[in-house]
Amino acid sequence: MEFFRDSNIDWLSKKWLFLGFSLIFSVAGVLSMLFWHHIPVGIDFKGGTQVRVSFPQQPNEDHLRTAMDRAGIHDASIQRLNGANGYEAVITLPETSDSNSDSARATVVKALATNYTDSASRVEDAYTVGPTAGKQLTRQAGWAILWSLLGMLAYLWFRFEFIYGAAAVIAVFHDTLITIGAFSLTNQEITLTVIAAILTLVGYSMNDTIVVFDRIRENLQLMRRATLSEVVNKSINQTLSRTLLTSGLTFLTVLALYLFGGEVLHGFSFALVIGILIGTYSSIAVAAPMLVAYTDWRTSRGKSSGLQTGRKATA
């Protein structure tokens, strides 16, 4: 099944448009992480206590925040959501030296009973992460992403050449940066499930890139008289139907998960929605053009292109 037969789109002629698109979203995400919302990490990484409270009616965030202030909790974060048993609110308390789920539960119950008029509200759950555990999880998440990128670079260096691996890793880093930037721009918390989604996207985006690279290397052997730009354009067009079919079906699945999966899976599915779109785009518009830019640079210095044909890689 193919959506496009004998397509002849000149992708490389649009490289400046693609570069502008990537720069806009990358810079916006970086500026948000540096100056606006920073990186809004959840309690899994920064530590603290999260208390989930249910209400028979839609709670008022301002009333809840006033109740917490009167109870001595001045930096609480409150998020409303629709629960299975009615309306719920997640109250995140900042980390203190004596933080634990029991004391946080008691503090919230006392604040609601004293200052909130709805006596039917009740605490459903309380979850605490200490500062040491938060720092350890942050370090482990960073190492997990770093080692996955280095492992894929080594694999592509072995199966293809170093420039293929470098281009693929840069493209995946580009995807990760834009995905995290999207969380910062929308001020959504990054939790452990979001890190799991990002690691999933690293592999997904890399697989798309490998398919394109494999076709480029095959065509380098078949189209010996063509320029590298012609080979790259031909290879992208030949794999375009496959890319859109696989990515499109996966996108529809995660979009349904985002729309109907509920608040618990909201961050996870949001990362997948953004990541699949950006990952598919980068396989075409970032990774492949980097090969052309690399060979043009080598040619301008009087060297060979540096790209060779070799054994076929599986993806």
Side-chain angles (χ1 to χ4, degrees), residues 97-110:
S97 59
D98 58 346
S99 291
N100 61 75
S101 58
D102 292 334
S103 63
R105 181 192 295 265
T107 301
V108 171
V109 169
K110 181 179 178 181

Side-chain angles (χ1 to χ4, degrees), residues 116-295:
Y116 202 72
T117 58
D118 191 353
S119 59
S121 62
R122 66 178 184 273
V123 175
E124 299 289 348
D125 190 22
Y127 171 60
T128 299
V129 175
T132 302
K135 291 179 181 178
Q136 183 178 4
L137 289 173
T138 302
R139 185 168 56 253
Q140 290 176 342
W143 280 114
I145 295 175
L146 177 61
W147 282 114
S148 65
L149 293 177
L150 291 177
M152 291 179 182
L153 173 62
Y155 168 77
L156 291 177
W157 191 354
F158 171 74
R159 297 296 292 178
F160 292 90
E161 298 172 39
F162 177 77
I163 182 56
Y164 286 94
V169 168
I170 292 173
V172 170
F173 178 79
H174 159 275
D175 303 341
T176 304
L177 178 64
I178 291 181
T179 302
I180 295 176
F183 274 86
S184 180
L185 287 168
T186 56
N187 200 26
Q188 298 187 59
E189 288 188 345
I190 296 177
T191 62
L192 283 176
T193 56
V194 173
I195 297 299
I198 290 175
L199 290 174
T200 302
L201 293 170
V202 167
Y204 187 90
S205 177
M206 188 68 71
N207 181 68
D208 267 352
T209 303
I210 289 175
V211 170
V212 177
F213 281 177
D214 196 29
R215 185 57 60 90
I216 289 174
R217 188 171 58 175
E218 290 176 354
N219 285 335
L220 282 173
Q221 187 173 13
L222 297 174
M223 304 168 60
R224 294 183 180 274
R225 295 185 178 182
T227 64
L228 181 61
S229 296
E230 294 172 340
V231 171
V232 170
N233 276 325
K234 183 70 173 179
S235 301
I236 295 175
N237 286 317
Q238 288 176 341
T239 58
L240 189 59
S241 289
R242 181 265 178 201
T243 299
L244 293 182
L245 276 172
T246 55
S247 299
L249 290 175
T250 307
F251 174 77
L252 290 177
T253 302
V254 298
L255 181 62
L257 189 65
Y258 175 74
L259 295 175
F260 308 111
E263 292 292 335
V264 175
L265 296 176
H266 185 79
F268 177 82
S269 55
F270 179 75
L272 290 175
V273 167
I274 298 298
I276 287 175
L277 288 175
I278 297 300
T280 304
Y281 156 81
S282 69
S283 299
I284 297 173
V286 177
M290 286 188 62
L291 294 178
V292 179
Y294 170 76
T295 56

Side-chain angles (χ1 to χ4, degrees), residues 12 19 22 29 39-40 73 79 87-88 93 104 142 197 204 211 233 252 280 295:
L12 293 179
L19 178 61
S22 296
I39 301 179
I73 306 172
Q79 178 186 8
Y87 300 101
E88 295 182 349
L93 283 63
Y204 187 90
V211 170
N233 276 325
L252 290 177
T280 304
T295 56

Side-chain angles (χ1 to χ4, degrees), residues 61-79:
E61 290 186 39
D62 293 333
H63 292 171
L64 285 173
R65 191 167 287 105
T66 300
M68 296 301 108
D69 287 337
R70 290 176 179 175
I73 306 172
H74 302 296
D75 297 320
S77 173
I78 299 173
Q79 178 186 8

